[in-house]
């Protein structure tokens, strides 16, 4: 039997997790010398590469000194916590990657707390020691303090530390003595990560991830807890609700390198992929039919936010998208729930709208962006936090908010956060920045990032994570400014935009197509204003000197999908198509808006 080590790599967003996996793959000579592999090998979909984040956990496997090392790359963002929690069940040890300059960050804390709860022992990897002004020793102390505060055991606190630079491709036990490769880290994995605990007994395997192949359908991924799984073996699927279904393993794969390799059998401790078992969900157990025994189900974090997804019914409906009907939308959303565990979809009274629940704006925006790239057209309503009632009291989700900002803008930021019912917990200088911590309702965070970036001239760094449900905090002031709404359908004209510049900032530029009821800008005042952006200049046969000077128009403001979702109000939609993202009022005609405003 080959020795096996299962490790998960956990870290905050952008601390170099995926880059480190690249270097491990190269060190273990997974690629031939003449093979082009590129960078960020595991972030294999366009969205992950563009955003520089890992969204879906990935499995790879390398062979190092007669040991098979299964590596699981996990998402670092709290919105994808559902992914992290499950995959940690497959690992026996974790590599905790920390930036030598930034130290442990909010998301590090979130993911690490999950690993400690599950009793995993970490190897701490302090990355980016080649950065200027970094303090690897101070960061190591901070990791120790963090683990102590999270209730780590003595064994967990006695963690080994490896220093290095994943970008430069070296790891060492002493950051003053760079090496040539990442061998020191791999040696630490062999030495400190325990081999899988193998129980005696018949087959038991818990499904922790789902893959999909257009040839063989849904594939279950999980770790063999005990016993042995073989191809064409009769098994029983034990479901979360206690029911059981007889089934058969038609094909069996183990992980090798970046792909899967067909296998005849796999023993306890290895991570495998199974095809042929139907109707499974994450958390179900595949067991021996003679003595079926279910494993403890995986707890899944509850969604904290909901949005209305509806078919696109704007005047530009169907011009850019391929999938536009309510049936397309319904099938796609329910298909997503099969593998996206933290997502829930509910049907509404209208056949064209669905309520989608997720872990945050980021979680839901990734789904919207993916659908948009697949050719879907849809409209999305304002994100709403999920309110609970406990003992007759109204409860709402509260988050811990962390902001690092230049000192001169800290006063304005504190004012912004307290206006949104935030309470300050910590204020301390860290180097040349001020570190602030608050408790704030999830409602208060929506749209806050844009304001904080504005007052700090783009220098503030903001992160937040779910803390707990607390009593309702009262009303939070809405968006300060009203919006500018197009009066007619047509093409925006430079002449009209130029004459209206004193009214506010525009989201459209000359030549952009607009329709009646579409939001074309932000008003300088609090009220909404309807205006004509397609008005052309009256032509006369007289020319006055200077009348035809070129107009100077401020460039249009382009918001990202997340910024749009956080920007809209309750009576507005974000229209999303493969080529465009537009803002619009739900009621396009002005007399309809006035009628509904009175209600």
């Amino acid at each position: 039997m080959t020795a096996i080590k299962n490790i998960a790599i956990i870290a905050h967003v952008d601390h170099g997790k995926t880059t480190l996996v690249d270097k491990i793959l190269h060190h273990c000579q997974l690629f031939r010398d003449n093979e082009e592999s590129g960078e960020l090998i595991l972030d294999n979909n366009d969205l992950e590469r563009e955003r520089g984040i890992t969204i879906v956990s990935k499995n790879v496997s390398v062979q190092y000194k007669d040991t098979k090392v299964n590596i699981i790359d996990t998402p670092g963002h709290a919105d994808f916590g559902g992914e992290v929690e499950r995959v940690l069940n497959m690992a026996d040890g974790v590599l905790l990657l920390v930036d030598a300059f930034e130290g442990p960050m909010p998301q590090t804390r979130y993911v690490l707390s999950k690993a400690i709860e599950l009793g995993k022992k970490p190897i701490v990897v302090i990355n980016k020691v080649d950065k200027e002004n970094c303090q690897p020793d101070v960061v190591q102390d901070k990791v120790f303090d963090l683990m102590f505060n999270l209730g780590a055991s003595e064994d967990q606190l006695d963690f080994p530390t490896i220093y290095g630079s994943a970008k430069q491709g070296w790891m060492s036990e002493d950051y003053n003595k760079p090496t040539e490769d990442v061998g020191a880290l791999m040696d630490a994995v062999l030495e400190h990560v325990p081999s899988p605990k193998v129980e005696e007994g018949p087959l038991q395997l818990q499904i922790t991830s789902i893959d999909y192949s257009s040839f063989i359908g849904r594939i279950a991924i999980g770790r063999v807890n005990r016993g042995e799984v073989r191809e064409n073996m009769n098994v029983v699927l034990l479901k979360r609700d206690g029911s059981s279904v007889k089934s058969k393993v038609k094909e069996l794969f183990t992980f090798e390198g970046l792909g899967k390799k067909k296998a005849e059998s796999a023993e306890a401790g290895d991570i495998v992929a199974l095809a042929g078992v139907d109707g499974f969900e994450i958390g179900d157990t595949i067991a021996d039919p003679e003595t079926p025994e279910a494993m403890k189900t995986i707890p899944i974090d509850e969604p904290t936010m909901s949005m209305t997804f509806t078919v696109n019914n704007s005047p530009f409906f169907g011009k850019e998208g391929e999938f536009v009907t309510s049936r397309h939308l319904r099938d796609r959303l329910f298909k997503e729930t099969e593998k996206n565990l933290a997502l829930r979809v509910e049907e509404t009274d209208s056949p064209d709208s669905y309520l989608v629940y997720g872990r945050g704006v980021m979680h839901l925006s990734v789904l919207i962006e993916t659908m948009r790239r697949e050719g879907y057209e849809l409209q999305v309503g304002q994100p709403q936090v999920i309110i609970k009632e406990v003992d007759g009291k109204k409860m709402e989700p509260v988050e811990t908010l962390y902001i690092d900002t230049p000192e001169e803008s800290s006063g304005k930021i504190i004012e912004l956060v307290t206006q949104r019912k935030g309470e300050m917990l910590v204020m301390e200088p860290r180097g040349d920045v001020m570190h602030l911590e608050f408790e704030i309702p999830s409602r208060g965070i929506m749209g806050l990032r844009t304001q904080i970036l504005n007052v700090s001239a783009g220098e503030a760094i903001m992160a937040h994570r779910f803390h707990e449900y607390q009593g309702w905090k009262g009303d939070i002031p809405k968006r300060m400014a009203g919006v500018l709404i197009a009066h007619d359908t047509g093409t925006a004209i430079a002449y009209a935009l130029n004459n209206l510049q004193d009214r506010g900032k525009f989201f459209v530029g000359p030549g952009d197509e607009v329709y009646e009821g579409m939001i074309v800008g932000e008003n300088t005042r609090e009220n909404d204003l309807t205006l004509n952006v397609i008005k052309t200049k009256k032509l006369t046969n007289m020319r006055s000197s200077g009348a035809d000077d070129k107009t100077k128009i401020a460039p249009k403001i382009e918001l990202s999908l997340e910024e749009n979702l956080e920007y809209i109000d309750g009576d507005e939609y974000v229209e999303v198509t493969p080529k465009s993202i537009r803002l619009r009022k739900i009621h396009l005609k002005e007399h309809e808006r006035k009628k509904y405003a009175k209600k």
Side-chain angles (χ1 to χ4, degrees):
M1 178 183 170
T2 318
I4 294 173
K5 302 280 181 181
N6 296 320
I7 54 167
I9 299 190
I10 57 177
H12 182 78
V13 177
D14 207 25
H15 277 196
K17 210 163 48 282
T18 307
T19 307
L20 178 63
V21 177
D22 288 359
K23 297 299 185 243
I24 292 172
L25 296 177
H26 284 291
H27 180 66
C28 298
Q29 294 177 335
L30 194 61
F31 303 101
R32 298 188 304 278
D33 294 340
N34 63 351
E35 203 172 351
E36 268 296 312
S37 58
E39 289 184 349
L40 302 179
I41 301 161
L42 287 197
D43 281 352
N44 53 10
N45 74 35
D46 294 342
L47 248 183
E48 293 184 313
R49 285 173 176 267
E50 280 166 31
R51 289 170 180 247
I53 59 170
T54 301
I55 295 169
V56 184
S57 62
K58 322 275 191 322
N59 296 51
V60 291
S61 164
V62 293
Q63 197 76 20
Y64 183 73
K65 292 186 178 173
D66 303 329
T67 302
K68 180 180 182 182
V69 182
N70 286 316
I71 304 168
I72 307 154
D73 183 16
T74 64
H77 206 284
D79 279 16
F80 308 108
E83 281 281 325
V84 177
E85 217 163 330
R86 303 197 311 263
V87 297
L88 285 176
N89 281 310
M90 294 199 278
D92 298 296
V94 291
L95 296 186
L96 172 66
L97 198 65
V98 185
D99 187 304
F101 180 73
E102 292 182 346
M105 296 285 278
Q107 257 60 12
T108 319
R109 182 191 180 98
Y110 173 82
V111 189
L112 184 60
S113 65
K114 299 284 183 199
I116 284 172
E117 275 172 39
L118 292 165
K120 313 290 181 194
K121 182 173 176 175
I123 296 174
V124 175
V125 182
I126 296 180
N127 190 25
K128 304 193 184 182
V129 296
D130 52 325
K131 268 190 178 179
E132 282 181 33
N133 304 328
C134 67
Q135 301 169 302
D137 293 334
V138 175
V139 169
Q140 206 240 9
D141 292 342
K142 283 184 181 172
V143 173
F144 184 89
D145 294 343
L146 172 61
M147 288 178 62
F148 182 78
N149 293 336
L150 291 173
S153 65
E154 280 189 28
D155 180 50
Q156 286 171 323
L157 288 171
D158 184 23
F159 56 81
T161 307
I162 303 287
Y163 303 89
S165 163
K167 196 172 182 182
Q168 294 179 356
W170 64 269
M171 289 284 152
S172 170
E173 291 183 5
D174 182 346
Y175 59 88
N176 292 316
K177 295 178 185 170
T179 58
E180 296 297 313
D181 54 33
V182 294
L185 174 62
M186 296 307 291
D187 290 336
V189 167
L190 298 196
E191 186 182 341
H192 297 286
V193 173
S195 293
K197 283 183 187 161
V198 176
E199 290 181 37
E200 292 299 313
L203 170 67
Q204 202 179 37
L205 176 151
Q206 188 161 39
I207 299 166
T208 45
S209 296
I210 296 174
D211 202 356
Y212 184 80
S213 154
S214 48
F215 298 108
I216 48 181
R218 292 170 84 219
I219 299 169
I221 297 174
R223 173 177 149 177
V224 185
N225 187 50
R226 66 178 195 206
E228 182 187 35
V229 61
R230 296 182 308 281
E231 209 172 16
N232 297 321
M233 178 181 185
N234 289 320
V235 292
V236 65
L237 181 69
L238 304 172
K239 299 189 68 65
R240 196 182 271 270
D241 59 8
S243 62
S244 62
V245 184
K246 286 186 176 175
S247 195
K248 186 175 188 175
V249 177
K250 289 181 185 158
E251 289 186 86
L252 174 69
F253 304 91
T254 55
F255 288 88
E256 187 171 285
L258 291 169
K260 302 185 190 78
K261 175 185 141 191
K262 237 177 155 188
E264 288 181 8
S265 66
E267 296 173 329
D270 207 351
I271 295 172
V272 297
L274 310 172
V277 179
D278 291 327
F280 62 81
E281 286 170 26
I282 283 169
D284 293 350
T285 305
I286 291 175
D288 182 75
E290 303 297 318
T291 50
E293 194 181 333
M295 289 175 72
K296 190 175 153 205
T297 56
I298 306 168
I300 294 152
D301 282 356
E302 289 290 303
T304 56
M305 198 163 278
S306 72
M307 281 188 209
T308 303
F309 281 50
T310 178
V311 294
N312 187 11
N313 61 359
S314 84
F316 293 169
F317 149 83
K319 282 188 175 180
E320 297 171 2
E322 191 183 338
F323 307 109
V324 293
T325 66
S326 56
R327 185 178 60 81
H328 285 138
L329 182 64
R330 184 186 187 282
D331 292 351
R332 179 65 182 81
L333 289 174
F334 280 102
K335 182 183 166 193
E336 186 68 22
T337 57
E338 290 183 356
K339 62 176 187 294
N340 193 335
L341 213 66
L343 197 80
R344 285 214 315 269
V345 179
E346 275 180 17
E347 301 197 12
T348 62
D349 300 339
S350 159
D352 293 340
S353 318
Y354 299 90
L355 262 181
V356 180
Y357 296 87
R359 287 294 310 274
V361 174
M362 173 94 156
H363 182 208
L364 292 167
S365 76
V366 165
L367 168 63
I368 297 164
E369 183 64 39
T370 309
M371 289 174 66
R372 173 185 173 211
R373 289 172 186 224
E374 290 170 3
Y376 286 83
E377 276 193 20
L378 64 148
Q379 295 181 140
V380 193
Q382 185 189 31
Q384 304 285 342
V385 297
I386 295 170
I387 309 298
K388 285 184 177 176
E389 194 155 307
V390 181
D391 303 330
K393 280 175 76 180
K394 195 175 174 186
M395 308 286 274
E396 68 172 327
V398 170
E399 309 208 15
T400 310
L401 172 68
Y402 307 82
I403 300 172
D404 288 329
T405 175
E407 200 167 333
E408 57 272 18
S409 50
S410 59
K412 287 179 183 169
I413 285 176
I414 292 167
E415 190 184 336
L416 274 176
V417 178
T418 46
Q419 277 173 358
R420 290 164 170 259
K421 301 284 192 268
E423 291 175 27
M424 191 154 73
L425 309 173
V426 176
M427 180 179 184
E428 60 183 28
R430 285 192 184 170
D432 56 349
V433 297
M434 187 63 75
H435 177 75
L436 309 170
E437 290 184 22
F438 302 87
E439 261 189 18
I440 181 170
S442 296
R443 292 178 296 142
I445 288 178
M446 279 183 240
L448 183 63
R449 188 182 301 271
T450 314
Q451 292 183 326
I452 282 179
L453 288 174
N454 286 343
V455 299
S456 67
E459 289 192 34
I461 296 170
M462 169 178 151
H464 53 92
R465 66 187 187 92
F466 174 70
H467 175 50
E468 62 181 5
Y469 269 84
Q470 292 181 5
W472 182 256
K473 306 280 184 191
D475 288 336
I476 289 176
K478 286 189 172 178
R479 188 173 61 205
M480 299 299 180
V483 290
L484 304 174
I485 305 162
H487 184 269
D488 287 302
T489 302
T491 305
I493 303 291
Y495 170 75
L497 293 174
N498 181 48
N499 289 340
L500 295 167
Q501 283 193 93
D502 58 338
R503 297 293 190 181
K505 303 169 188 164
F506 283 95
F507 301 148
V508 294
D512 288 351
E513 296 292 321
V514 300
Y515 54 78
E516 183 185 358
M518 181 171 150
I519 295 169
V520 291
E522 182 175 87
N523 196 356
T524 46
R525 301 188 177 177
E526 287 182 22
N527 60 313
D528 291 351
L529 182 66
T530 305
L531 36 78
N532 186 353
V533 292
I534 65 170
K535 187 178 179 183
T536 53
K537 185 176 180 182
K538 289 280 180 289
L539 295 176
T540 65
N541 56 3
M542 297 286 288
R543 294 184 65 170
S544 60
S545 65
D548 292 311
D549 282 352
K550 286 190 169 66
T551 51
K552 291 194 176 83
I553 303 171
K556 66 178 180 181
I557 297 168
E558 295 201 34
L559 300 177
S560 70
L561 177 58
E562 269 126 70
E563 287 166 341
N564 276 313
L565 292 171
E566 291 185 342
Y567 184 82
I568 57 171
D569 227 329
D571 64 339
E572 294 161 5
Y573 277 152
V574 179
E575 178 190 349
V576 182
T577 73
K579 293 180 187 167
S580 319
I581 297 174
R582 304 183 188 94
L583 298 177
R584 57 161 284 184
K585 287 289 183 183
I586 292 177
H587 302 289
L588 297 176
K589 302 214 174 288
E590 193 170 4
H591 67 85
E592 286 180 2
R593 291 197 291 276
K594 284 178 179 168
K595 187 173 96 180
Y596 281 95
K598 285 175 188 169
K599 287 189 176 180

